[in-house]
Amino acid sequence: MPAIPQPLRPDDDGGVDTAVGSALSAFHAGTATAADVLTALGQARLLVPVVALLTESEVGEHGLKQEKESEMALPKLVGKDGREAVLAFTGVEPMRMWRPDARPVQATGPQVCQAAKHERAAAVVIDVAGPIPFVIEGGMLQALATVEEAKRDASALDRLAEAVPDLTVARLRERPRRWWDRRRR
């Protein structure tokens, strides 16, 4: 039987993470880079929308069409060029600006990017309806997805290094504890 995952932050009030909000505002003002936003997103909770899709309906006793069965779905954005994007939001209010009936599911930035990769989406669009939309795509989408994947499979980093040109993956080894305890004589 599938288990319902525990929320990332049980005390979450749905507000925008302060670091992400500041990074997006600074990026919009031209005083921060996309790397600054990505750094904030990599550590923050995002909200992924799920919506109900009617799968079967029936006519009720008063002659009105009513829901019989529905499923929850992860909506995707489809661009004019046909590429798909997974949506994520920094908070409940930005999600309501897009679609008031969507329900939030907590996820980290790397988890959202991994979901996009799994869905074969070309991008993740953060806060598509505002206040400050931001897009993660290309090598950065691949890299953030790999951060999540590497938690379960260390060889994911090697695959990333092969897939993204000019990327260097450095492996740092922890030194024995006594190395830190040595004193100069």
Side-chain angles (χ1 to χ4, degrees):
M1 174 176 226
I4 296 173
Q6 294 297 313
L8 296 173
R9 291 179 20 205
D11 62 338
D12 191 354
D13 66 0
V16 175
D17 181 275
T18 305
V20 174
S22 296
L24 284 169
S25 294
F27 179 72
H28 185 68
T31 59
T33 66
D36 297 324
V37 176
L38 291 167
T39 298
L41 288 171
Q43 303 297 316
R45 175 276 294 140
L46 294 174
L47 299 176
V48 177
V50 291
V51 295
L53 291 178
L54 181 64
T55 56
E56 191 175 337
S57 63
E58 63 187 7
V59 177
E61 63 184 63
H62 299 291
L64 300 174
K65 186 177 177 180
Q66 61 190 26
E67 176 183 331
K68 185 173 181 183
E69 290 184 27
S70 63
E71 295 178 357
M72 298 306 286
L74 173 70
K76 288 192 273 184
L77 187 66
V78 179
K80 291 180 183 178
D81 60 0
R83 294 185 310 150
E84 295 180 338
V86 169
L87 301 173
F89 297 87
T90 56
V92 172
E93 282 308 311
M95 185 185 299
R96 282 189 189 135
M97 290 170 60
W98 169 69
R99 190 165 167 175
D101 65 328
R103 298 293 174 248
V105 175
Q106 295 177 350
T108 65
Q111 287 172 333
V112 175
C113 290
Q114 186 183 36
K117 182 179 168 189
H118 178 75
E119 292 287 324
R120 292 183 169 75
V124 170
V125 179
I126 309 290
D127 291 347
V128 67
I132 302 169
F134 186 81
V135 178
I136 305 170
E137 60 187 337
M140 188 49 63
L141 176 68
Q142 182 80 15
L144 287 172
T146 302
V147 165
E148 186 63 26
E149 189 177 337
K151 291 177 183 176
R152 290 177 289 285
D153 178 9
S155 66
L157 294 173
D158 296 325
R159 290 191 301 278
L160 176 65
E162 292 171 7
V164 179
D166 301 322
L167 178 73
T168 301
V169 175
R171 297 192 192 288
L172 302 177
R173 292 190 180 157
E174 187 176 326
R175 296 186 183 268
R177 186 166 215 38
R178 64 174 219 240
W179 182 84
W180 296 103
D181 294 337
R182 286 187 197 171
R183 294 182 184 175
R184 289 188 156 182
R185 293 179 189 231

